[in-house]
Amino acid sequence: MKIAALALSLLSTAGAFAPSLRSRQHLTQLEAERKPFISGNWKLNPQTREEATSLASEIAASITKDTPDADIALFVPYVFIEAAQKAAEGKLMIGAEGVCPEIKGAFTGAVSASMLQSIGVEWALAGHSERRVLFGETDEYINGQCLKLMELGMSVMLCIGESEAEYEQNLAGAVCAVQLKKGLSGISKEDMSRVAIAYEPVWAIGTGKVATPETAQAVHAKCRAILAEMYDQETADATRILYGGSVTPDSVDELMSQPDIDGALVGGASLDATKFGRIINFQPVEVAA
């Protein structure tokens, strides 16, 4: 009932900006040029270098000539980055789960963007809800991460999303607007080509709950409208917005069929090569026009 109510509320808001139930077969040329982006976030997993190497290798093996044309990445713990890069054999990108906005100095335990860049990392996450809630990272700190990555010519996946309490109050659109505007502050239109957005409703992360494709689409359409207000429609239409929140092999096909859902940021299922391999090899289905 809560999901249905949120869907109705957001659909009415987003409807003024974009049709939310078009299939990908009805996209404009610019929208159709957004390359899908399938990514995994390993979080504090696995426990050994050997396990990380084996998992990355098995995931890479699932990418074949029949795999959809998409960018594929794994965001892994710092200590496993180089092992995962070697195991992936260039078939997918290996990114970092976070980054310090400082370059050097007395910041014990931190890892800088330049350190990551020196070992071939191009992408890093910023703003994941677990970093916001468990580690107290503020919108200002997250903005600093984004700006530093832009400064070094790297790329960032900015994570946004509402808590369960905010979700129950139908505040998803408002929360995403604040996090987008604060997280992207100071980032130019030109630099937006190196930014991806991941909408992750906090109530769905690791809970097994998944927003209906229609609900997720409505929020994505709202986020794209916010980007159009911040920049312009061309920039908004070119920016990839991924969905995260207990994405599974059973839910990915319909999610990826929505016109404003350009990919997935996958948590638990990315630790299972078979499940993540199926997500990488998604098969969009026709949805109501």
Side-chain angles (χ1 to χ4, degrees), residues 42-213:
W42 283 0
K43 307 187 181 186
L44 190 60
N45 301 288
Q47 298 308 300
T48 68
R49 177 187 176 95
E50 290 71 23
E51 290 176 302
T53 298
S54 176
L55 180 56
S57 179
E58 290 175 17
I59 289 172
S62 70
I63 303 171
T64 70
K65 62 180 179 60
D66 297 319
T67 297
D69 184 20
D71 284 333
I72 303 168
L74 288 172
F75 293 96
V76 310
Y78 298 126
V79 295
F80 297 147
I81 287 175
E82 291 184 289
Q85 287 172 329
K86 184 176 180 180
E89 298 182 333
K91 297 180 74 174
L92 59 133
M93 299 178 288
I94 304 298
E97 295 179 13
V99 65
C100 177
E102 304 294 339
I103 286 295
K104 62 180 180 179
F107 302 98
T108 301
V111 174
S112 71
S114 56
M115 291 175 182
L116 295 171
Q117 190 176 51
S118 74
I119 59 171
V121 172
E122 177 184 352
W123 283 87
L125 297 178
H128 192 281
S129 63
E130 290 157 4
R131 300 299 307 181
R132 295 176 186 266
V133 175
L134 300 178
F135 295 90
E137 293 185 359
T138 64
D139 286 313
E140 291 70 27
Y141 183 88
I142 292 161
N143 177 239
Q145 295 174 306
C146 295
L147 290 173
K148 186 57 64 176
L149 289 164
M150 294 297 100
E151 179 184 324
L152 294 183
M154 298 171 72
S155 299
V156 65
M157 186 175 293
L158 173 63
C159 303
I160 62 173
E162 77 282 4
S163 67
E164 185 169 14
E166 292 162 339
Y167 155 65
E168 291 177 344
Q169 298 176 61
N170 292 339
L171 294 174
V175 171
C176 289
V178 170
Q179 292 178 345
L180 280 172
K181 291 176 180 179
K182 289 188 174 183
L184 297 176
S185 178
I187 294 180
S188 69
K189 171 183 175 178
E190 292 72 27
D191 282 341
M192 283 299 293
S193 63
R194 292 185 283 114
V195 175
I197 306 298
Y199 166 61
E200 294 191 299
V202 178
W203 50 268
I205 298 175
T207 65
K209 300 177 183 178
V210 183
T212 67

Side-chain angles (χ1 to χ4, degrees), residues 215-288:
T215 300
Q217 162 60 24
V219 180
H220 280 232
K222 177 60 177 175
C223 290
R224 203 172 302 285
I226 294 165
L227 292 173
E229 294 173 1
M230 294 173 61
Y231 297 98
D232 54 37
Q233 193 61 53
E234 180 182 14
T235 302
D237 286 343
T239 301
R240 293 181 291 184
I241 306 177
L242 289 65
Y243 175 75
S246 297
V247 177
T248 68
D250 294 329
S251 64
V252 67
D253 292 346
E254 197 168 356
L255 286 166
M256 288 301 296
S257 299
Q258 302 299 321
D260 287 294
I261 297 180
D262 304 311
L265 178 58
V266 183
S270 70
L271 298 173
D272 183 311
T274 299
K275 290 181 179 179
F276 194 54
R278 173 62 182 85
I279 292 171
I280 289 170
N281 290 282
F282 63 91
Q283 301 170 12
V285 296
E286 181 70 19
V287 297

